[in-house]
């Protein structure tokens, strides 16, 4: 597999873990953001 | 002999002709708006879109055209007559029902209610069998479209179950424009039948025209272009989007065939009309309720595994998608680093070189993505 040139983005959306509250907040925007640098979901 | 070839040519021609109707493009705009709303919602949730809007609309037009050919073929085969469908009654009822719940916009409910009203109260003036055949054929068409839509129209979501558990799931939504040709019967003097008219066998139509035929006249059918839209909304929690679609298509197909058989039999056995009308809306509602319950209360598919991280979905045009990582895959190792948590994944990505190997688990089988 190969990362894109500018940033290490993998491009996967992972299933939620347990009852983490932040996943409920997903629909409300801005709580969890796509971290292009890491290529995963990360807390803002 | 039945003119099969002409009928197929007619169905295809009808769909092509619809492309020149302004109403067709109005329906496309409506379908496009629905996809745009979905895309915005996905962008808001995940910061990324799935298919591009143009791709989605182009696919909706292509699949809708296939649906239009199938629908026109079946409606012509049974000999439906647009004048006896009572669309002027069905539409307002559908809009009223939609105010209770969006899914009641489906003709299975409005068509069933109008047909039952005709059986019980003798009003409105519609042909019960024809209305129910229309509902059945529209659902046969829908079941085919659901089955051939694949992953298109599947949006990943995070769902909170009744027990408070958060799981991954998919919101399945499709909209298709449906260009159809419907027939309208007119009585013409037997001696004035124009040339080029298709000669139909004696058994046709299966749905006879209601009305008195003046002496020396025969029924002739003119084709009328109608553009409809079909929509499908579902949720996949215990199944993958593809499995869910296959199951929905199968159940909807069975429902449609039972309804079609009852509607056609009710032409000769009037006592079946009430039962067929009730099957139209109660059968449809039962199907939705049972299927949704099984899906929502079943064992969720997208939950964290004992080892590794499960992928709910991949983003279009990213290394994961290009390498063939699929929804449901479990990421085990990235460049030989074990990944059991998001933090470990972030770390592995941080230390990984530009080209790397990912070890995954798919359907219980370990494999490497290079």
């Amino acid at each position: 597999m190969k990362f894109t040139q500018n940033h290490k983005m993998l491009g996967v959306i992972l299933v939620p873990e347990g009852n983490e509250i932040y996943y409920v907040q997903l629909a409300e925007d801005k709580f969890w953001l796509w971290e292009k640098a890491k290529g995963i979901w990360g807390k803002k | 002999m039945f003119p099969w070839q002409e009928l197929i040519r007619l169905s295809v021609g009808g769909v092509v002709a619809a492309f020149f109707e302004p109403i067709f493009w109005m329906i496309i705009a409506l379908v496009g708006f629905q996809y745009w709303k979905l895309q915005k919602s996905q962008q808001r949730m995940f910061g990324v879109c799935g298919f591009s809007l143009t791709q989605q609309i182009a696919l909706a037009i292509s699949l809708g055209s296939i649906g239009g050919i199938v629908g026109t073929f079946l409606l012509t085969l049974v000999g439906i007559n647009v004048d006896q469908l009572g669309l002027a009654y069905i539409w307002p009822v559908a809009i009223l029902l939609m105010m209770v719940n969006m899914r009641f916009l489906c003709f299975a409910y409005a068509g069933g209610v109008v047909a039952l009203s005709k059986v019980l109260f003798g009003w409105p003036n519609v042909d019960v069998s024809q209305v129910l055949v229309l509902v059945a054929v529209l659902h046969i068409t829908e079941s085919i479209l659901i089955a051939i839509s694949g992953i298109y129209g599947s949006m990943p979501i995070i769902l909170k179950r009744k027990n408070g558990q958060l799981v991954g799931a998919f919101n399945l939504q499709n909209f298709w424009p449906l260009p159809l040709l419907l027939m309208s019967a007119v009585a013409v003097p037997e001696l004035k039948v124009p040339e080029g008219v298709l000669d139909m066998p004696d058994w046709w139509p299966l749905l006879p025209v209601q009305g008195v035929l003046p002496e020396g006249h025969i029924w002739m059918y003119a084709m009328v272009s109608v553009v409809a839209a079909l929509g499908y909304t579902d949720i996949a929690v215990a199944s993958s989007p593809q499995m869910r679609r296959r199951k929905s298509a199968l159940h909807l197909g069975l429902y449609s065939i039972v309804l079609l058989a009852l509607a056609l039999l009710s032409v000769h056995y009037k006592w079946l009309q009430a039962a067929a009308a009730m099957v139209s809306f109660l059968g449809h509602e039962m199907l939705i309720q049972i299927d949704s319950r099984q899906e929502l209360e079943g064992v969720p598919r997208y939950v964290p595994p004992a080892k590794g991280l499960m992928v709910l979905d991949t983003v279009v045009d990213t290394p994961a998608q290009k390498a063939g990582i699929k929804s449901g895959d479990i990421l085990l190792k990235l460049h030989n680093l074990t990944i059991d948590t998001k933090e470990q994944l972030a770390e592995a990505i941080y230390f990984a070189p530009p080209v790397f190997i990912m070890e995954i688990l798919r359907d219980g089988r370990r494999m490497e993505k290079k």
Side-chain angles (χ1 to χ4, degrees), chain B residues 112-139:
Chain B
V113 167
V114 167
L116 192 63
S117 167
K118 167 70 180 173
V119 176
L120 297 178
F121 312 113
W123 183 90
N125 186 21
V126 296
D127 183 317
V128 171
S129 306
Q130 300 236 8
V131 170
L132 299 175
V133 164
L134 175 73
V135 172
V137 169
L138 286 177
H139 282 85

PDB file of all heavy atoms in Angstrom, chain B residues 112-139:
ATOM      1  N   GLY B 112     -53.714   1.038  -2.009  1.00  0.00           N
ATOM      2  CA  GLY B 112     -54.494   0.074  -1.228  1.00  0.00           C
ATOM      3  C   GLY B 112     -55.701   0.730  -0.579  1.00  0.00           C
ATOM      4  O   GLY B 112     -56.810   0.180  -0.600  1.00  0.00           O
ATOM      5  N   VAL B 113     -55.499   1.929  -0.023  1.00  0.00           N
ATOM      6  CA  VAL B 113     -56.597   2.637   0.657  1.00  0.00           C
ATOM      7  C   VAL B 113     -57.680   3.022  -0.358  1.00  0.00           C
ATOM      8  O   VAL B 113     -58.878   2.810  -0.120  1.00  0.00           O
ATOM      9  CB  VAL B 113     -56.053   3.898   1.385  1.00  0.00           C
ATOM     10  CG1 VAL B 113     -57.177   4.821   1.824  1.00  0.00           C
ATOM     11  CG2 VAL B 113     -55.208   3.480   2.584  1.00  0.00           C
ATOM     12  N   VAL B 114     -57.275   3.560  -1.504  1.00  0.00           N
ATOM     13  CA  VAL B 114     -58.245   3.964  -2.537  1.00  0.00           C
ATOM     14  C   VAL B 114     -59.000   2.730  -3.040  1.00  0.00           C
ATOM     15  O   VAL B 114     -60.234   2.752  -3.181  1.00  0.00           O
ATOM     16  CB  VAL B 114     -57.525   4.705  -3.700  1.00  0.00           C
ATOM     17  CG1 VAL B 114     -58.442   4.845  -4.907  1.00  0.00           C
ATOM     18  CG2 VAL B 114     -57.046   6.076  -3.242  1.00  0.00           C
ATOM     19  N   ALA B 115     -58.269   1.633  -3.256  1.00  0.00           N
ATOM     20  CA  ALA B 115     -58.910   0.405  -3.747  1.00  0.00           C
ATOM     21  C   ALA B 115     -59.898  -0.131  -2.712  1.00  0.00           C
ATOM     22  O   ALA B 115     -61.020  -0.526  -3.055  1.00  0.00           O
ATOM     23  CB  ALA B 115     -57.843  -0.638  -4.061  1.00  0.00           C
ATOM     24  N   LEU B 116     -59.493  -0.127  -1.427  1.00  0.00           N
ATOM     25  CA  LEU B 116     -60.386  -0.636  -0.375  1.00  0.00           C
ATOM     26  C   LEU B 116     -61.629   0.241  -0.246  1.00  0.00           C
ATOM     27  O   LEU B 116     -62.736  -0.265  -0.037  1.00  0.00           O
ATOM     28  CB  LEU B 116     -59.631  -0.688   0.962  1.00  0.00           C
ATOM     29  CG  LEU B 116     -60.337  -1.458   2.075  1.00  0.00           C
ATOM     30  CD1 LEU B 116     -60.508  -2.931   1.718  1.00  0.00           C
ATOM     31  CD2 LEU B 116     -59.549  -1.348   3.384  1.00  0.00           C
ATOM     32  N   SER B 117     -61.456   1.550  -0.389  1.00  0.00           N
ATOM     33  CA  SER B 117     -62.583   2.471  -0.326  1.00  0.00           C
ATOM     34  C   SER B 117     -63.581   2.168  -1.452  1.00  0.00           C
ATOM     35  O   SER B 117     -64.790   2.193  -1.245  1.00  0.00           O
ATOM     36  CB  SER B 117     -62.066   3.919  -0.430  1.00  0.00           C
ATOM     37  OG  SER B 117     -63.125   4.789  -0.662  1.00  0.00           O
ATOM     38  N   LYS B 118     -63.054   1.858  -2.614  1.00  0.00           N
ATOM     39  CA  LYS B 118     -63.931   1.516  -3.749  1.00  0.00           C
ATOM     40  C   LYS B 118     -64.706   0.234  -3.453  1.00  0.00           C
ATOM     41  O   LYS B 118     -65.914   0.145  -3.698  1.00  0.00           O
ATOM     42  CB  LYS B 118     -63.066   1.362  -5.014  1.00  0.00           C
ATOM     43  CG  LYS B 118     -63.749   0.719  -6.191  1.00  0.00           C
ATOM     44  CD  LYS B 118     -64.806   1.600  -6.816  1.00  0.00           C
ATOM     45  CE  LYS B 118     -65.444   0.874  -8.009  1.00  0.00           C
ATOM     46  NZ  LYS B 118     -66.572   1.615  -8.552  1.00  0.00           N
ATOM     47  N   VAL B 119     -64.024  -0.763  -2.850  1.00  0.00           N
ATOM     48  CA  VAL B 119     -64.685  -2.043  -2.548  1.00  0.00           C
ATOM     49  C   VAL B 119     -65.768  -1.841  -1.474  1.00  0.00           C
ATOM     50  O   VAL B 119     -66.887  -2.321  -1.598  1.00  0.00           O
ATOM     51  CB  VAL B 119     -63.655  -3.085  -2.048  1.00  0.00           C
ATOM     52  CG1 VAL B 119     -64.350  -4.383  -1.637  1.00  0.00           C
ATOM     53  CG2 VAL B 119     -62.632  -3.385  -3.136  1.00  0.00           C
ATOM     54  N   LEU B 120     -65.422  -1.070  -0.425  1.00  0.00           N
ATOM     55  CA  LEU B 120     -66.346  -0.927   0.709  1.00  0.00           C
ATOM     56  C   LEU B 120     -67.463   0.082   0.456  1.00  0.00           C
ATOM     57  O   LEU B 120     -68.599  -0.125   0.838  1.00  0.00           O
ATOM     58  CB  LEU B 120     -65.574  -0.526   1.973  1.00  0.00           C
ATOM     59  CG  LEU B 120     -64.540  -1.535   2.492  1.00  0.00           C
ATOM     60  CD1 LEU B 120     -63.824  -0.991   3.717  1.00  0.00           C
ATOM     61  CD2 LEU B 120     -65.207  -2.873   2.820  1.00  0.00           C
ATOM     62  N   PHE B 121     -67.105   1.214  -0.159  1.00  0.00           N
ATOM     63  CA  PHE B 121     -68.086   2.297  -0.300  1.00  0.00           C
ATOM     64  C   PHE B 121     -68.481   2.594  -1.747  1.00  0.00           C
ATOM     65  O   PHE B 121     -69.284   3.485  -1.998  1.00  0.00           O
ATOM     66  CB  PHE B 121     -67.542   3.588   0.342  1.00  0.00           C
ATOM     67  CG  PHE B 121     -66.973   3.379   1.721  1.00  0.00           C
ATOM     68  CD1 PHE B 121     -65.619   3.526   1.976  1.00  0.00           C
ATOM     69  CD2 PHE B 121     -67.812   2.997   2.771  1.00  0.00           C
ATOM     70  CE1 PHE B 121     -65.089   3.310   3.244  1.00  0.00           C
ATOM     71  CE2 PHE B 121     -67.292   2.777   4.046  1.00  0.00           C
ATOM     72  CZ  PHE B 121     -65.931   2.931   4.287  1.00  0.00           C
ATOM     73  N   GLY B 122     -67.844   1.919  -2.664  1.00  0.00           N
ATOM     74  CA  GLY B 122     -68.171   2.150  -4.080  1.00  0.00           C
ATOM     75  C   GLY B 122     -67.608   3.459  -4.606  1.00  0.00           C
ATOM     76  O   GLY B 122     -67.972   3.922  -5.685  1.00  0.00           O
ATOM     77  N   TRP B 123     -66.738   4.078  -3.864  1.00  0.00           N
ATOM     78  CA  TRP B 123     -66.120   5.356  -4.252  1.00  0.00           C
ATOM     79  C   TRP B 123     -64.627   5.321  -3.905  1.00  0.00           C
ATOM     80  O   TRP B 123     -64.281   4.752  -2.879  1.00  0.00           O
ATOM     81  CB  TRP B 123     -66.806   6.502  -3.492  1.00  0.00           C
ATOM     82  CG  TRP B 123     -66.279   7.856  -3.897  1.00  0.00           C
ATOM     83  CD1 TRP B 123     -66.759   8.650  -4.897  1.00  0.00           C
ATOM     84  CD2 TRP B 123     -65.181   8.562  -3.310  1.00  0.00           C
ATOM     85  NE1 TRP B 123     -66.026   9.804  -4.981  1.00  0.00           N
ATOM     86  CE2 TRP B 123     -65.042   9.780  -4.025  1.00  0.00           C
ATOM     87  CE3 TRP B 123     -64.273   8.288  -2.288  1.00  0.00           C
ATOM     88  CZ2 TRP B 123     -64.047  10.708  -3.722  1.00  0.00           C
ATOM     89  CZ3 TRP B 123     -63.281   9.209  -1.997  1.00  0.00           C
ATOM     90  CH2 TRP B 123     -63.183  10.413  -2.706  1.00  0.00           C
ATOM     91  N   PRO B 124     -63.779   5.918  -4.671  1.00  0.00           N
ATOM     92  CA  PRO B 124     -63.970   6.640  -5.934  1.00  0.00           C
ATOM     93  C   PRO B 124     -64.065   5.678  -7.125  1.00  0.00           C
ATOM     94  O   PRO B 124     -63.870   4.469  -6.955  1.00  0.00           O
ATOM     95  CB  PRO B 124     -62.698   7.480  -6.025  1.00  0.00           C
ATOM     96  CG  PRO B 124     -61.657   6.690  -5.311  1.00  0.00           C
ATOM     97  CD  PRO B 124     -62.372   5.957  -4.224  1.00  0.00           C
ATOM     98  N   ASN B 125     -64.342   6.237  -8.281  1.00  0.00           N
ATOM     99  CA  ASN B 125     -64.558   5.409  -9.458  1.00  0.00           C
ATOM    100  C   ASN B 125     -63.208   4.955 -10.050  1.00  0.00           C
ATOM    101  O   ASN B 125     -62.669   5.592 -10.944  1.00  0.00           O
ATOM    102  CB  ASN B 125     -65.363   6.193 -10.496  1.00  0.00           C
ATOM    103  CG  ASN B 125     -65.741   5.316 -11.663  1.00  0.00           C
ATOM    104  OD1 ASN B 125     -65.752   4.085 -11.539  1.00  0.00           O
ATOM    105  ND2 ASN B 125     -66.010   5.931 -12.800  1.00  0.00           N
ATOM    106  N   VAL B 126     -62.688   3.881  -9.499  1.00  0.00           N
ATOM    107  CA  VAL B 126     -61.418   3.338 -10.007  1.00  0.00           C
ATOM    108  C   VAL B 126     -61.604   1.848 -10.264  1.00  0.00           C
ATOM    109  O   VAL B 126     -62.532   1.236  -9.737  1.00  0.00           O
ATOM    110  CB  VAL B 126     -60.256   3.531  -8.994  1.00  0.00           C
ATOM    111  CG1 VAL B 126     -59.958   4.982  -8.763  1.00  0.00           C
ATOM    112  CG2 VAL B 126     -60.535   2.810  -7.680  1.00  0.00           C
ATOM    113  N   ASP B 127     -60.705   1.277 -11.028  1.00  0.00           N
ATOM    114  CA  ASP B 127     -60.728  -0.162 -11.228  1.00  0.00           C
ATOM    115  C   ASP B 127     -59.761  -0.767 -10.214  1.00  0.00           C
ATOM    116  O   ASP B 127     -58.537  -0.591 -10.310  1.00  0.00           O
ATOM    117  CB  ASP B 127     -60.290  -0.494 -12.668  1.00  0.00           C
ATOM    118  CG  ASP B 127     -60.363  -1.986 -12.953  1.00  0.00           C
ATOM    119  OD1 ASP B 127     -59.950  -2.783 -12.084  1.00  0.00           O
ATOM    120  OD2 ASP B 127     -60.831  -2.347 -14.039  1.00  0.00           O
ATOM    121  N   VAL B 128     -60.338  -1.456  -9.230  1.00  0.00           N
ATOM    122  CA  VAL B 128     -59.545  -1.977  -8.105  1.00  0.00           C
ATOM    123  C   VAL B 128     -58.386  -2.870  -8.580  1.00  0.00           C
ATOM    124  O   VAL B 128     -57.240  -2.700  -8.152  1.00  0.00           O
ATOM    125  CB  VAL B 128     -60.474  -2.750  -7.127  1.00  0.00           C
ATOM    126  CG1 VAL B 128     -59.661  -3.488  -6.073  1.00  0.00           C
ATOM    127  CG2 VAL B 128     -61.455  -1.790  -6.473  1.00  0.00           C
ATOM    128  N   SER B 129     -58.692  -3.766  -9.503  1.00  0.00           N
ATOM    129  CA  SER B 129     -57.641  -4.696  -9.976  1.00  0.00           C
ATOM    130  C   SER B 129     -56.504  -3.932 -10.645  1.00  0.00           C
ATOM    131  O   SER B 129     -55.327  -4.235 -10.440  1.00  0.00           O
ATOM    132  CB  SER B 129     -58.224  -5.703 -10.966  1.00  0.00           C
ATOM    133  OG  SER B 129     -59.321  -6.352 -10.380  1.00  0.00           O
ATOM    134  N   GLN B 130     -56.864  -2.938 -11.456  1.00  0.00           N
ATOM    135  CA  GLN B 130     -55.828  -2.174 -12.173  1.00  0.00           C
ATOM    136  C   GLN B 130     -54.930  -1.393 -11.205  1.00  0.00           C
ATOM    137  O   GLN B 130     -53.716  -1.350 -11.369  1.00  0.00           O
ATOM    138  CB  GLN B 130     -56.480  -1.192 -13.147  1.00  0.00           C
ATOM    139  CG  GLN B 130     -57.335  -1.878 -14.176  1.00  0.00           C
ATOM    140  CD  GLN B 130     -56.907  -1.527 -15.601  1.00  0.00           C
ATOM    141  OE1 GLN B 130     -55.914  -0.896 -15.832  1.00  0.00           O
ATOM    142  NE2 GLN B 130     -57.706  -1.965 -16.553  1.00  0.00           N
ATOM    143  N   VAL B 131     -55.563  -0.775 -10.202  1.00  0.00           N
ATOM    144  CA  VAL B 131     -54.788  -0.012  -9.214  1.00  0.00           C
ATOM    145  C   VAL B 131     -53.774  -0.933  -8.528  1.00  0.00           C
ATOM    146  O   VAL B 131     -52.596  -0.603  -8.382  1.00  0.00           O
ATOM    147  CB  VAL B 131     -55.724   0.639  -8.156  1.00  0.00           C
ATOM    148  CG1 VAL B 131     -54.928   1.212  -6.999  1.00  0.00           C
ATOM    149  CG2 VAL B 131     -56.589   1.717  -8.787  1.00  0.00           C
ATOM    150  N   LEU B 132     -54.254  -2.124  -8.133  1.00  0.00           N
ATOM    151  CA  LEU B 132     -53.380  -3.031  -7.395  1.00  0.00           C
ATOM    152  C   LEU B 132     -52.300  -3.653  -8.283  1.00  0.00           C
ATOM    153  O   LEU B 132     -51.191  -3.912  -7.822  1.00  0.00           O
ATOM    154  CB  LEU B 132     -54.216  -4.111  -6.695  1.00  0.00           C
ATOM    155  CG  LEU B 132     -55.212  -3.518  -5.667  1.00  0.00           C
ATOM    156  CD1 LEU B 132     -56.109  -4.593  -5.092  1.00  0.00           C
ATOM    157  CD2 LEU B 132     -54.463  -2.794  -4.541  1.00  0.00           C
ATOM    158  N   VAL B 133     -52.631  -3.851  -9.557  1.00  0.00           N
ATOM    159  CA  VAL B 133     -51.610  -4.343 -10.494  1.00  0.00           C
ATOM    160  C   VAL B 133     -50.518  -3.277 -10.648  1.00  0.00           C
ATOM    161  O   VAL B 133     -49.327  -3.591 -10.665  1.00  0.00           O
ATOM    162  CB  VAL B 133     -52.228  -4.707 -11.863  1.00  0.00           C
ATOM    163  CG1 VAL B 133     -51.146  -4.833 -12.932  1.00  0.00           C
ATOM    164  CG2 VAL B 133     -52.991  -6.021 -11.769  1.00  0.00           C
ATOM    165  N   LEU B 134     -50.932  -2.021 -10.721  1.00  0.00           N
ATOM    166  CA  LEU B 134     -49.931  -0.941 -10.834  1.00  0.00           C
ATOM    167  C   LEU B 134     -48.996  -0.962  -9.621  1.00  0.00           C
ATOM    168  O   LEU B 134     -47.777  -0.890  -9.761  1.00  0.00           O
ATOM    169  CB  LEU B 134     -50.632   0.429 -10.942  1.00  0.00           C
ATOM    170  CG  LEU B 134     -49.682   1.625 -10.942  1.00  0.00           C
ATOM    171  CD1 LEU B 134     -48.941   1.720 -12.272  1.00  0.00           C
ATOM    172  CD2 LEU B 134     -50.429   2.935 -10.678  1.00  0.00           C
ATOM    173  N   VAL B 135     -49.596  -1.084  -8.426  1.00  0.00           N
ATOM    174  CA  VAL B 135     -48.779  -1.131  -7.194  1.00  0.00           C
ATOM    175  C   VAL B 135     -47.806  -2.313  -7.264  1.00  0.00           C
ATOM    176  O   VAL B 135     -46.614  -2.165  -6.981  1.00  0.00           O
ATOM    177  CB  VAL B 135     -49.690  -1.252  -5.940  1.00  0.00           C
ATOM    178  CG1 VAL B 135     -48.856  -1.496  -4.689  1.00  0.00           C
ATOM    179  CG2 VAL B 135     -50.550   0.000  -5.777  1.00  0.00           C
ATOM    180  N   ALA B 136     -48.306  -3.469  -7.682  1.00  0.00           N
ATOM    181  CA  ALA B 136     -47.461  -4.672  -7.743  1.00  0.00           C
ATOM    182  C   ALA B 136     -46.325  -4.492  -8.743  1.00  0.00           C
ATOM    183  O   ALA B 136     -45.168  -4.791  -8.427  1.00  0.00           O
ATOM    184  CB  ALA B 136     -48.316  -5.881  -8.118  1.00  0.00           C
ATOM    185  N   VAL B 137     -46.636  -3.966  -9.921  1.00  0.00           N
ATOM    186  CA  VAL B 137     -45.586  -3.818 -10.952  1.00  0.00           C
ATOM    187  C   VAL B 137     -44.540  -2.783 -10.511  1.00  0.00           C
ATOM    188  O   VAL B 137     -43.337  -2.994 -10.709  1.00  0.00           O
ATOM    189  CB  VAL B 137     -46.212  -3.450 -12.320  1.00  0.00           C
ATOM    190  CG1 VAL B 137     -45.132  -3.043 -13.314  1.00  0.00           C
ATOM    191  CG2 VAL B 137     -47.002  -4.629 -12.866  1.00  0.00           C
ATOM    192  N   LEU B 138     -44.987  -1.714  -9.887  1.00  0.00           N
ATOM    193  CA  LEU B 138     -44.017  -0.718  -9.403  1.00  0.00           C
ATOM    194  C   LEU B 138     -43.071  -1.346  -8.378  1.00  0.00           C
ATOM    195  O   LEU B 138     -41.880  -1.064  -8.344  1.00  0.00           O
ATOM    196  CB  LEU B 138     -44.735   0.483  -8.778  1.00  0.00           C
ATOM    197  CG  LEU B 138     -45.414   1.446  -9.758  1.00  0.00           C
ATOM    198  CD1 LEU B 138     -46.143   2.554  -9.005  1.00  0.00           C
ATOM    199  CD2 LEU B 138     -44.413   2.067 -10.728  1.00  0.00           C
ATOM    200  N   HIS B 139     -43.613  -2.244  -7.551  1.00  0.00           N
ATOM    201  CA  HIS B 139     -42.767  -2.877  -6.532  1.00  0.00           C
ATOM    202  C   HIS B 139     -41.868  -3.969  -7.118  1.00  0.00           C
ATOM    203  O   HIS B 139     -40.778  -4.195  -6.605  1.00  0.00           O
ATOM    204  CB  HIS B 139     -43.621  -3.392  -5.372  1.00  0.00           C
ATOM    205  CG  HIS B 139     -44.036  -2.285  -4.459  1.00  0.00           C
ATOM    206  ND1 HIS B 139     -45.154  -1.509  -4.697  1.00  0.00           N
ATOM    207  CD2 HIS B 139     -43.444  -1.767  -3.353  1.00  0.00           C
ATOM    208  CE1 HIS B 139     -45.238  -0.585  -3.759  1.00  0.00           C
ATOM    209  NE2 HIS B 139     -44.223  -0.714  -2.921  1.00  0.00           N
TER     210      HIS B 139
END
